[in-house]
Amino acid sequence: MKPDKSARQGKIMAALETSPSLRVAELAQTLGVSTETIRRDLDQMTSAGLLNRTYGGAVRPLHSEPTVAERHTMFVTERQRIARATLPLLRDARVLILGSGSTTVHVAHEIAAKLKDLMVITHSFGVAAALSANPTIKTLLLPGEYHAGEGTLLGGHTIAFLQDLYADCTILGASGLSEEGPTDALPESAAVYSTMAARAARSVVVADHSKFNRLFTARYADWRRIGHLVTDQAPEGAMATQLQLSGTQVVLG
């Protein structure tokens, strides 16, 4: 017997506890209902503040962003494509700044595999570990207070150290993207990202489509400061309009 709506939505909430990202097709198959039924459920649950809709699925609500370890299991294929599409933007760079996050770790793996003779400045342990596979890349790990949930170093020491550095390009992730710009769930992270963007000749944001039209606590830049957005689906609506007006080029992976 198919579960009624209440039971079905309860199962969806239970699934979000173990898998912070859900797909419509997979939910429909698991619960034995049509994809249209699942989409209606997700729309109702979004209106109730229980989750957030994405293209093709749903994620946890804004106040409970997954940890970086959980995010590493989400949208892996999309993030790999984004990382590969980012590499051509870095061909002429000799000094890079990489922010923290699961997508930037994918970028770091691509850099380690395909580029050489670089200096990379980062505050992310995951990024530093990925780069260690390439002995021609010199990694400068920034100082700061360790944030275990993000695997990164943050705070005043991080920002002060960055003020004396300069790079050809900064590559940053984001918790959310909207017409106002990229945002982060942690104000401490946003403060570091803002400084990173200011210390490079150009800045690139790398983020998958699940971040579209999601607004978090702290904006770290407006789109005029971002040269490229590398993503896996073309933005639409107000965000797409603002990207065009700001001169931010969208690169699809």
Side-chain angles (χ1 to χ4, degrees):
M1 179 182 297
K2 296 178 181 179
D4 62 21
K5 182 170 72 172
S6 178
R8 189 172 60 246
Q9 293 185 2
K11 289 179 182 293
I12 293 172
M13 289 303 301
L16 273 177
E17 292 299 317
T18 57
S19 178
S21 171
L22 302 175
R23 302 278 190 172
V24 168
E26 293 171 357
L27 285 171
Q29 183 177 12
T30 300
L31 298 176
V33 295
S34 68
T35 55
E36 290 76 13
T37 297
I38 293 298
R39 289 191 183 94
R40 286 195 295 271
D41 283 338
L42 297 182
D43 288 340
Q44 291 173 5
M45 295 168 76
T46 298
S47 298
L50 298 174
L51 49 77
N52 283 308
R53 288 284 271 119
T54 66
Y55 293 111
V59 295
R60 290 176 179 174
L62 300 185
H63 63 269
S64 58
E65 189 190 25
T67 65
V68 71
E70 291 175 318
R71 297 200 303 272
H72 279 306
T73 67
M74 301 163 60
F75 301 106
V76 173
T77 300
E78 292 89 341
R79 286 168 175 167
Q80 289 172 339
R81 295 204 311 266
I82 289 167
R84 289 193 293 270
T86 302
L87 260 287
L89 304 177
L90 312 179
R91 294 296 184 186
D92 60 344
R94 299 269 59 89
V95 180
L96 302 174
I97 296 175
L98 262 69
S100 63
S102 53
T103 308
T104 52
V105 169
H106 282 291
V107 174
H109 281 294
E110 283 291 307
I111 290 171
K114 298 177 182 177
L115 301 182
K116 63 180 181 178
D117 301 324
L118 299 174
M119 172 180 280
V120 179
I121 301 159
T122 188
H123 63 151
S124 163
F125 280 77
V127 166
L131 294 171
S132 68
N134 187 331
T136 75
I137 296 176
K138 182 177 182 179
T139 303
L140 178 59
L141 192 62
L142 296 169
E145 182 178 349
Y146 181 62
H147 189 291
E150 291 298 306
T152 190
L153 296 154
L154 302 170
H157 291 295
T158 314
I159 292 171
F161 201 88
L162 276 165
Q163 296 288 0
D164 292 325
L165 301 175
Y166 192 74
D168 299 305
C169 184
T170 288
I171 303 100
L172 300 169
S175 299
L177 305 173
S178 73
E179 65 271 23
E180 294 191 6
T183 58
D184 198 86
L186 291 175
E188 308 97 306
S189 291
V192 172
Y193 297 158
S194 180
T195 306
M196 287 177 164
R199 301 311 302 166
R202 52 195 171 90
S203 296
V204 176
V205 169
V206 292
D208 67 80
H209 68 273
S210 71
K211 309 298 179 67
F212 290 0
N213 303 311
R214 301 186 72 199
L215 191 64
F216 281 78
T217 306
R219 184 181 71 166
Y220 65 77
D222 62 40
W223 289 117
R224 290 173 296 178
R225 293 181 61 188
I226 306 300
H228 294 83
L229 168 64
V230 188
T231 186
D232 62 311
Q233 292 186 16
E236 298 178 350
M239 191 172 88
T241 300
Q242 189 58 51
L243 286 165
Q244 185 175 20
L245 290 172
S246 300
T248 304
Q249 296 184 39
V250 177
V251 177
L252 296 181

